[in-house]
Amino acid sequence: VPALHVDHMHADAVIAIGAITVLLVPPAQAAYPGRDGKIAYVITSPDGASHDIWTVNPDGSGNRRITSNGKSWHPRLSPDGKLIAFERNKDIYIMTPTGTLVRRVTTTGRAHQPTWSPNGKRIAFVNVLANGHGDIFTVEIATGRVRTLVQSPETEEYPEASPDGRFVAFVRKSDLYLVEVESARVVR
């Protein structure tokens, strides 16, 4: 086995650069946004017919099933980690990370793919219309007021709020678009 030669001066520079890189990378908000660091995820039954939400600590401990109806998926932790938005029976619901205080926030019967605004006051989601294509809507958590952000003959999907909350990014025909939340003006 050949000996490993380490140039300590070069290794220190690489380690320092690596440390700087790590410091410049933002935290993974989708994975660890909560104060308790919980990760929310879905386990699907082997036949694909049942979907339930589970939470786990970042170290793998504390694995816990928090829904049991078999129809819950697309969990998204709120920015403060106090709530989880999720899809159930084609509507958007919210609940605590322990699975309690479950509340339905949409009644369209066609809502999918929830995503929180950075301030936690709104959820953007895809609403699949009778013609089969999806448009982007928002719902205010406090009032339940639903607002259309994007309505077009095409399918919009995968909404994601910008860090400042001014825009919602979405995909249409494999292209990325932005919609300004206040004006509902779409930009590419």
Side-chain angles (χ1 to χ4, degrees):
V1 177
L4 177 65
H5 173 71
V6 177
D7 175 352
H8 292 288
M9 193 167 178
H10 181 65
D12 290 342
V14 170
I15 291 169
I17 290 169
I20 291 170
T21 302
V22 170
L23 293 175
L24 295 176
V25 175
Q29 295 260 327
Y32 307 103
R35 292 180 184 168
D36 61 2
K38 292 283 186 199
I39 299 168
Y41 65 99
V42 171
I43 291 183
T44 301
S45 63
D47 64 2
S50 178
H51 314 274
D52 278 306
I53 299 171
W54 293 65
T55 58
V56 67
N57 295 319
D59 67 1
S61 67
N63 199 28
R64 179 177 179 195
R65 184 181 191 168
I66 60 172
T67 65
S68 59
N69 72 339
K71 298 185 185 319
S72 300
W73 51 357
H74 293 129
R76 298 296 297 263
L77 283 150
S78 62
D80 65 4
K82 293 181 179 180
L83 294 170
I84 296 174
F86 65 101
E87 177 186 330
R88 175 185 284 169
N89 297 324
K90 299 180 183 175
D91 268 313
I92 305 302
Y93 288 73
I94 57 174
M95 67 180 163
T96 65
T98 59
T100 60
L101 304 176
V102 177
R103 180 168 63 100
R104 186 177 175 177
V105 295
T106 66
T107 57
T108 66
R110 298 171 178 270
H112 305 278
Q113 302 172 357
T115 188
W116 290 92
S117 63
N119 66 10
K121 294 181 179 181
R122 286 188 306 263
I123 295 173
F125 62 96
V126 174
N127 197 56
V128 179
L129 304 177
N131 64 7
H133 79 269
D135 289 331
I136 307 294
F137 288 72
T138 62
V139 61
E140 291 180 19
I141 299 307
T143 66
R145 180 178 161 255
V146 175
R147 178 175 168 233
T148 305
L149 273 187
V150 180
Q151 191 169 19
S152 79
E154 305 297 332
T155 294
E156 289 85 28
E157 54 191 348
Y158 311 116
E160 189 66 44
S162 65
D164 63 7
R166 291 183 49 224
F167 296 93
V168 171
F170 63 93
V171 174
R172 178 191 291 158
K173 287 188 168 183
S174 301
D175 291 324
L176 184 64
Y177 289 81
L178 295 175
V179 59
E180 191 175 36
V181 173
E182 292 305 314
S183 69
R185 183 177 60 92
V186 175
V187 294
R188 186 158 186 214

